[in-house]
Amino acid sequence: MKCAATLLTLICLLSIDASARSWKQAASGKIIDAELIKVDGGKVHLRLSDGRVGQVEILSLSLEDQQYISSLEVAAVPSAGGADWPNFRGPDSTDISPDTNLLEKWPDDGPGKLWVYENAGMGYSGFSIVGGKLYTMGTRGEDLTVVCVDVSSGGELWSTVIGNDDEDGYNAGWGKGPRSTPTISEGLVFATGPKGTVACLDAESGKKNWSKNLVSDFGGKSGGWGFSASPFVDGEHLVLAPGGDDAGMVCLNKKTGATVWKADDLKPGKAEYATIQVAEINGKRQYIRLFAEELVGVSADDGAVIWSSPWPGKTAVIPTPIVSGNQIYITSGYGVGCKLVEIDSSDNPTDVWVDKTMKNHHGGVVKVGEYLYGFSDGAGLICQDWATGELVWNEKGQFTTKGSVHVADGKMYALNEDDGTLTLATVTPDGFEMTGRFKLDPQSPNRNPKGKVWTHPLVIGGKLFLRDQELIVCYDVAAK
C-alpha cells in the first residue's frame, strides 16, 4: 500500500483545494465531516462545518483517509525539497521518497557534495529528518548517543547520551553501535539501543523525557546482534517488539512511557530485527511483525493475536515486511527466501506463493507498482513480480553484488555494501538501466574490518544522505 508518502510530512504550508469529506479516527472510530485545508508536519488541518479549524495527526486516521491524502500527491508536490522523513523507511514505510525533480543522471564523479558531518558515532543507524533537522544515533566511546544535525549546514545542534554501549551482551564482531533509526512524532524523538535501551527525547532540545529497557522492563530477548528494530509510532501508541517469553510486543503511551498493553499470547523467543508495520485488514487495525518462526498480526486495541503465519527463519530475520491491502510480503536471507501472505475475510492467512527468488539479508526491498526491487543473496540486484514471485530481471556486477535500496523520483538508489558504491538506476520491470554511479567519500577509517557500509541511503528535500559509521555525507541531487 502506498500511504501518505509525501503529503503527510510537508514542512511547507501546502494549501489544498478539496471539498468536505468524512474522516475517521482509527483508534476511536469517531467520524467527522470536514474540509482538508493543508498538510503540515505530519498533520492535516481540517475546517469543520462551523468554521473552526483543527489539526489531526495523519497516522491516527484510518488507512482509507491516509490513502486519500496519498492520492493528492502527484498534483500537490511539484518539486523536491518539501517533505519530512520521520522514521525508518518513511512515513508510509514504503521506502519511497516523495521528492520529484531530481537529477536523472550524475556526473562521472557523482552529485555535488554539500557537507560532511564527522561525529555521528559508531554504528549503522539510519536517518530521520523533520523540520530541517536530521536525527540519528551512534556510539561515542561507550556512550549510546542520539544526535541532531542541521540539514542545511551539517552542524551539530545537540547530542544526548541515552545509555551505555560497552559491546557486552550482543555480538559486536561486525562493529558496535546502534542499528536502529530514531522515530520522530509530535516533537518527540524515540530511540532504541542494541542492549534494549528505549528513550523518549524532546526533538528541539534533546532533553530526555523518559526511558525504559526492553529486557529489564519487559523480559525481552534480543537476537545475537542486539535489538535492531526501529521504534514504531501509531497515533498515541509507541509499539515495540522486545521478544522473549513474556510478551513479544508491547504498546506504550508515547508521551509518558506507560504501558497500554502487552501481547501476552505472543512468545516468539528472540526479538529478531524487523520493524513493526501497521495495517487495517477486515476493519481491524493491527500491528504486523516478522519473527524467526512466524509472521503475526496483533490487535492495535489490546495486543491480542489476530493471525499467525509460519516462517522458517534462520540465523537472523531482518527485512521489514511490506503491506499492500490484505497482502503481506516477507523475505529473509541465509537461504530462506520469500513469500506473499494473504489474509482472508475471516482473518485466516494463506500463502499466495513461496519462493527463493528474493533472499534479502538486510538491505530491504521496495515495492513500486506491482514489482519488487532489492538485493538477493547470490543474484545481485533483482526485480521480482509481486503477484507471482517470479524473477523479472537481475543484475549482478562488481557494484551490484549486495546492499540496500531506496527509491526516489522513479530512480533506484542501490548502495553496494562492500565498497560504498552507489548506483542510480531507472525503476522499471523492463530491465536494469543505470544512469549514474559514484563511490561514497570519505569512508570511515574506524569501521570494524568485518563491517560494511550498511546504513541505508535516503533522498529527501533534494538531498542524498549516506553514512559510514561516524561519517554522514550530504549530496545535492536536485535538478537545477
Side-chain angles (χ1 to χ4, degrees):
M1 177 198 69
K2 188 171 184 182
C3 251
T6 62
L7 297 177
L8 73 87
T9 47
L10 289 178
I11 60 174
C12 59
L13 299 184
L14 175 63
S15 295
I16 298 174
D17 182 14
S19 58
R21 67 186 300 275
S22 296
W23 303 84
K24 182 179 180 181
Q25 198 78 18
S28 66
K30 181 180 179 181
I31 297 176
I32 61 171
D33 291 325
E35 176 187 351
L36 174 60
I37 302 172
K38 65 183 179 184
V39 182
D40 175 30
K43 297 180 180 180
V44 286
H45 294 239
L46 303 175
R47 179 180 288 115
L48 303 177
S49 58
D50 61 6
R52 290 180 298 144
V53 175
Q55 300 179 28
V56 181
E57 188 167 348
I58 291 181
L59 291 181
S60 71
L61 294 171
S62 70
L63 291 184
E64 288 184 3
D65 289 336
Q66 294 183 35
Q67 289 172 333
Y68 168 73
I69 296 171
S70 180
S71 72
L72 303 175
E73 171 185 343
V74 174
V77 185
S79 64
D84 293 339
W85 191 267
N87 54 278
F88 180 60
R89 290 181 65 88
D92 62 355
S93 297
T94 61
D95 213 0
I96 299 174
S97 169
D99 277 18
T100 59
N101 196 28
L102 302 176
L103 292 173
E104 295 186 358
K105 296 182 179 181
W106 292 336
D108 291 342
D109 56 352
K113 189 182 300 179
L114 295 175
W115 50 258
V116 179
Y117 173 67
E118 300 179 343
N119 197 24
M122 306 304 287
Y124 301 99
S125 179
F127 320 105
S128 289
I129 295 177
V130 172
K133 299 179 177 67
L134 180 152
Y135 302 87
T136 190
M137 300 174 67
T139 294
R140 296 173 173 176
E142 293 189 356
D143 291 334
L144 178 65
T145 307
V146 179
V147 178
C148 178
V149 175
D150 180 78
V151 168
S152 298
S153 67
E156 182 176 310
L157 298 175
W158 56 258
S159 61
T160 300
V161 177
I162 63 169
N164 174 264
D165 183 10
D166 56 6
E167 304 182 46
D168 186 36
Y170 72 99
N171 189 337
W174 283 257
K176 67 177 181 179
R179 291 90 158 92
S180 63
T181 298
T183 297
I184 319 302
S185 176
E186 293 190 297
L188 301 174
V189 180
F190 302 94
T192 58
K195 299 178 66 173
T197 298
V198 180
C200 170
L201 312 178
D202 179 82
E204 188 66 28
S205 66
K207 179 182 177 181
K208 186 187 294 185
N209 292 335
W210 57 261
S211 64
K212 299 285 184 180
N213 188 280
L214 295 176
V215 178
S216 59
D217 290 316
F218 304 110
K221 183 179 181 181
S222 73
W225 286 275
F227 291 100
S228 302
S230 298
F232 185 81
V233 171
D234 180 33
E236 295 302 308
H237 290 174
L238 172 65
V239 194
L240 306 164
D245 298 319
D246 294 337
M249 291 172 63
V250 297
C251 176
L252 311 181
N253 180 295
K254 73 178 182 183
K255 294 181 179 177
T256 67
T259 300
V260 177
W261 51 253
K262 296 181 180 180
D264 298 313
D265 294 334
L266 180 61
K267 304 179 188 300
K270 292 180 180 180
E272 295 299 321
Y273 312 94
T275 293
I276 293 166
Q277 300 294 284
V278 67
E280 200 164 304
I281 302 174
N282 298 325
K284 301 173 183 177
R285 195 168 183 85
Q286 52 197 269
Y287 302 130
I288 295 173
R289 179 57 149 80
L290 178 61
F291 292 97
E293 297 180 356
E294 61 179 334
L295 173 72
V296 299
V298 307
S299 169
D301 293 332
D302 56 15
V305 175
I306 300 174
W307 55 266
S308 173
S309 177
W311 183 243
K314 297 179 181 178
T315 309
V317 173
I318 304 172
T320 296
I322 297 175
V323 180
S324 182
N326 66 332
Q327 295 184 326
I328 304 101
Y329 172 90
I330 56 175
T331 178
S332 60
Y334 300 95
V336 175
C338 53
K339 75 174 182 176
L340 185 66
V341 178
E342 184 169 282
I343 311 302
D344 69 16
S345 59
S346 299
D347 295 323
N348 296 311
T350 57
D351 292 345
V352 178
W353 51 258
V354 181
D355 194 85
K356 291 185 180 293
T357 295
M358 180 74 78
K359 299 183 289 292
N360 188 264
H361 188 188
H362 50 57
V365 179
V366 181
K367 179 179 184 284
V368 182
E370 295 306 309
Y371 298 92
L372 297 152
Y373 301 86
F375 283 95
S376 180
D377 290 349
L381 187 63
I382 77 166
C383 173
Q384 182 182 23
D385 189 291
W386 172 274
T388 67
E390 295 176 353
L391 178 69
V392 180
W393 58 256
N394 76 297
E395 174 70 17
K396 185 177 181 181
Q398 180 181 357
F399 304 113
T400 52
T401 303
K402 186 175 180 179
S404 53
V405 296
H406 174 62
V407 170
D409 197 19
K411 299 292 184 183
M412 180 170 23
Y413 293 70
L415 181 63
N416 202 52
E417 65 177 35
D418 284 336
D419 63 354
T421 294
L422 186 71
T423 296
L424 185 70
T426 301
V427 177
T428 174
D430 296 334
F432 177 73
E433 299 176 6
M434 187 187 79
T435 62
R437 178 172 282 162
F438 76 99
K439 189 173 183 178
L440 169 63
D441 178 60
Q443 295 188 23
S444 173
N446 302 309
R447 189 199 319 143
N448 187 291
K450 290 184 179 180
K452 300 181 186 294
V453 184
W454 281 327
T455 300
H456 294 200
L458 172 61
V459 175
I460 197 76
K463 297 178 174 66
L464 163 67
F465 300 90
L466 299 176
R467 176 178 181 176
D468 184 22
Q469 299 297 315
E470 75 275 22
L471 303 177
I472 297 175
V473 187
C474 177
Y475 298 87
D476 183 5
V477 292
K480 306 304 181 184

